[in-house]
Amino acid sequence: IPRSKPIADLFPDVTVLFADIVGFTAWASTREPTEVFTLLEAIYNPFDRIARRLKVFKVETIGDCYVAATGLPEKLDDHAVVMAKFALNCMVKMAAVVNGLEGMLGKDTNRLSMRFGIHSGPVTAGVLRGEKSRFQLFGDTVNTAARMESTGSRGCIHLSEETAKLVMASSNCMGLHVVPRKEHVQVKGKGKMQTYWLTTGKADNANAVQRAVQTCTIAEATGSTSSGKIMSLDCSSSSSSSTKTRS
């Protein structure tokens, strides 16, 4: 039994991200081990640099899954917005990396893409002591972020309602759009949840938002909503509840 207290704390305002490489298992099954690690290093080393620049805390990589958090170990007021921007930067970098590696690792390499899931809430975190001590996160917020990733779509950033509201309420969210999914998502242990896609572009560019949402509805019915319109939450420094209809 340890004689000293563990290094741990409750962080009330945190945003957690899970990012997974879609198509990785099938791709890796036909590659040499060195090729697999060449790909992972080429993707995640730039992610690490983006994380350092934006002050995102990298938690760990689990196989081809990248886990990160904002709002810990140091408090960050705009933790949800910072994580949203991190995910967008990583998605762009991912596309550039796989296209650049096509010649070295095979033509199907550029078919790989990322699936992002993000959720915000309280997190218990600390150093789990042992032979290999590690800083780890625990709690419902972590589990829900993982569910956002697993129920998302390739090439898309999937947000919980908690994260979506924080993003839209921030004064630093210019250029970001949050669009509700057509169908509620069934989440293990949570039931049906209203979730959102994160997109980017000029606030008045309805066509850009439309295209982004259609890209992120692969698992849903073709088109946008049943009425043929998108209910898009525009970034607002004054309120997170302003909703505009885009035809």
Side-chain angles (χ1 to χ4, degrees), residues 126-209:
V127 178
L128 188 61
R129 296 176 293 185
E131 286 189 16
K132 295 183 179 180
S133 298
R134 297 168 58 195
F135 187 86
Q136 293 194 316
L137 313 184
F138 299 92
D140 180 70
T141 297
V142 180
N143 295 335
T144 303
R147 301 299 183 202
M148 291 300 99
E149 182 275 313
S150 63
T151 57
S153 293
R154 64 184 301 151
C156 299
I157 301 169
H158 192 203
L159 308 181
S160 68
E161 188 163 35
E162 289 81 355
T163 301
K165 287 181 177 179
L166 288 172
V167 169
M168 290 299 97
S170 171
S171 61
N172 295 320
C173 67
M174 293 304 297
L176 302 178
H177 298 279
V178 169
V179 184
R181 289 190 69 162
K182 178 183 177 183
E183 304 292 343
H184 285 193
V185 175
Q186 186 70 37
V187 178
K188 182 179 179 181
K190 307 286 284 187
K192 290 185 177 180
M193 295 178 63
Q194 175 65 65
T195 59
Y196 299 77
W197 300 121
L198 174 70
T199 67
T200 187
K202 293 182 179 180
D204 59 350
N205 192 344
N207 290 332
V209 176

Side-chain angles (χ1 to χ4, degrees), residues 8-118:
D9 204 350
L10 174 65
F11 298 86
D13 301 305
V14 175
T15 295
V16 179
L17 171 143
F18 279 74
D20 192 66
I21 304 175
V22 182
F24 176 80
T25 301
W27 180 91
S29 67
T30 63
R31 288 340 193 256
E32 295 294 326
T34 54
E35 293 177 315
V36 173
F37 275 79
T38 295
L39 175 75
L40 293 175
E41 289 178 354
I43 293 172
Y44 290 146
N45 286 346
F47 282 20
D48 290 346
R49 290 193 291 272
I50 297 170
R52 285 194 295 271
R53 175 167 56 85
L54 296 179
K55 297 183 179 180
V56 171
F57 181 78
K58 177 185 177 180
V59 180
E60 61 183 340
T61 54
I62 309 170
D64 63 315
C65 183
Y66 192 99
V67 186
T70 49
L72 62 77
E74 296 181 0
K75 181 180 178 181
L76 185 63
D77 290 336
D78 276 335
H79 54 91
V81 171
V82 171
M83 188 61 83
K85 292 179 178 179
F86 173 73
L88 287 167
N89 275 268
C90 288
M91 187 162 61
V92 172
K93 177 58 68 174
M94 170 68 178
V97 167
V98 295
N99 285 330
L101 289 175
E102 183 179 4
M104 180 188 299
L105 300 180
K107 292 183 178 180
D108 56 341
T109 302
N110 67 353
R111 298 175 189 170
L112 298 172
S113 61
M114 298 296 297
R115 184 173 59 219
F116 297 87
I118 305 177

